[in-house]
Amino acid sequence: MSNIKAAIVDDEVRNIHILRNILENYCKDVTVVGEAQNINEAAEMIKNNPIDVLFLDIEMPPHNGFQLLEMFPVLNFEVIFITAFQEYALQAIKFAALDYLLKPIKVSEVEDALEKVKKSKKGRLNELASILKDYVKNNDNAFSKIVIPVNDGYNVIDLKDIVYCEAFDSYTKIQLISNVSHLISKSLKEYEEMLSDKGFYRVHKSFLINIHHIVKIIKGLGTAVVMSDQKNIPISSRKKDEFFTQLKGVINL
């Protein structure tokens, strides 16, 4: 994109002005072509003004930004979400591997988000729409899928197909069924935060496992679990008691 056409949607005029000033003063290749303070105004604006990127506030009572995206069967623009750290909404964004800015907005973060947009695959949001639709319909964190970046785009993965996640420095290997794996440039801690209430448990500093893929528990001096792919994963001594307590709620021991 040589010249990026942007629109800003936020229910607070002050926030619109702050972001517009950042874009006009620090992002010379961006032109703000529209602004709106609610989703109905925003939908009309976007239909009448083709854009490349939408800066979208999540919380705009009585609506939210996800509902605006539902109005468009095909999304021909990128989205950078804006949030004041509503945890449940952030989880939806992280599950869908989307970009977001935290309020108060910082110049460097806007620049970083725009760099990602420039490098991204055009229209990639359509590939990730199933995650957002789960959010809009349920609004209760009942996500069953996660999006991960791969060489030629993004893969949408069922959580039930993840056997375990393994730390490799600042990267994470996601091991799937059928001996398929992906190496992702995110830390294991990030995946622990996303998946800890989805049947996953950090049994070791290097491993986050899907409890439903345990096929055997080895007790003794070196307690471990055997996963459905026959991987033997150690359980750290400090995690052992808490792990077995949690496991009793899922599996009859």
Side-chain angles (χ1 to χ4, degrees):
M1 300 179 195
S2 54
N3 183 52
I4 300 173
K5 294 179 180 179
I8 304 169
V9 178
D10 195 309
D11 62 337
E12 296 184 25
V13 174
R14 178 175 175 273
N15 292 332
I16 291 177
H17 288 169
I18 289 171
L19 182 53
R20 176 186 271 276
N21 285 336
I22 290 174
L23 293 172
E24 289 178 345
N25 293 316
Y26 296 94
C27 307
K28 300 302 182 183
D29 54 351
V30 176
T31 301
V32 179
V33 297
E35 301 169 353
Q37 290 182 252
N38 61 62
I39 66 171
N40 293 322
E41 288 178 5
E44 192 66 24
M45 172 190 68
I46 293 168
K47 288 173 184 175
N48 295 326
N49 297 279
I51 59 173
D52 300 306
V53 60
L54 176 66
F55 289 88
L56 178 60
D57 188 20
I58 295 173
E59 290 303 317
M60 296 180 288
H63 302 110
N64 64 53
F66 298 111
Q67 289 169 303
L68 171 62
L69 299 183
E70 283 283 289
M71 296 180 178
F72 294 87
V74 177
L75 299 168
N76 295 316
F77 50 86
E78 298 292 335
V79 176
I80 298 173
F81 289 98
I82 305 169
T83 176
F85 201 74
Q86 295 290 335
E87 184 55 42
Y88 71 93
L90 267 185
Q91 191 176 22
I93 294 168
K94 289 177 179 177
F95 266 64
L98 297 169
D99 296 317
Y100 64 93
L101 301 171
L102 289 177
K103 297 177 183 179
I105 297 171
K106 298 180 178 64
V107 173
S108 61
E109 293 175 355
V110 174
E111 292 173 331
D112 289 345
L114 284 170
E115 279 303 310
K116 292 179 184 177
V117 166
K118 292 173 187 176
K119 296 175 183 176
S120 68
K121 181 180 177 183
K122 184 68 176 177
R124 71 186 176 122
L125 197 59
N126 293 293
E127 301 175 37
L128 316 180
S130 63
I131 304 297
L132 295 177
K133 287 178 181 176
D134 276 353
Y135 173 85
V136 173
K137 290 176 182 176
N138 298 312
N139 201 14
D140 62 357
N141 287 339
F143 304 110
S144 61
K145 297 178 181 179
I146 191 170
V147 174
I148 63 169
V150 292
N151 289 337
D152 59 350
Y154 294 82
N155 282 358
V156 180
I157 294 173
D158 284 325
L159 296 185
K160 62 181 176 59
D161 292 340
I162 300 176
V163 182
Y164 63 85
C165 303
E166 183 178 0
F168 285 91
D169 296 322
S170 59
Y171 289 78
T172 297
K173 183 180 85 169
I174 297 180
Q175 183 64 48
L176 306 176
I177 57 176
S178 304
N179 202 32
V180 174
S181 66
H182 299 283
L183 191 63
I184 312 298
S185 58
K186 287 186 178 181
S187 69
L188 188 61
K189 182 174 176 58
E190 289 184 71
Y191 283 105
E192 180 184 11
E193 291 172 353
M194 282 192 280
L195 301 175
S196 60
D197 62 346
K198 304 288 184 290
F200 289 75
Y201 190 81
R202 184 86 174 261
V203 294
H204 185 276
K205 66 179 182 179
S206 298
F207 291 98
L208 175 72
I209 67 169
N210 186 342
I211 288 174
H212 298 284
H213 277 278
I214 296 173
V215 296
K216 184 177 181 180
I217 299 170
I218 303 170
K219 291 188 175 182
L221 293 177
T223 305
V225 290
V226 179
M227 306 303 291
S228 59
D229 65 346
Q230 300 306 306
K231 174 77 170 180
N232 190 313
I233 294 178
I235 302 173
S236 67
S237 56
R238 66 184 185 86
K239 290 276 192 177
K240 187 162 52 175
D241 291 342
E242 182 181 306
F243 170 65
F244 282 117
T245 298
Q246 178 161 330
L247 203 59
K248 285 178 182 177
V250 181
I251 301 173
N252 291 324
L253 298 177

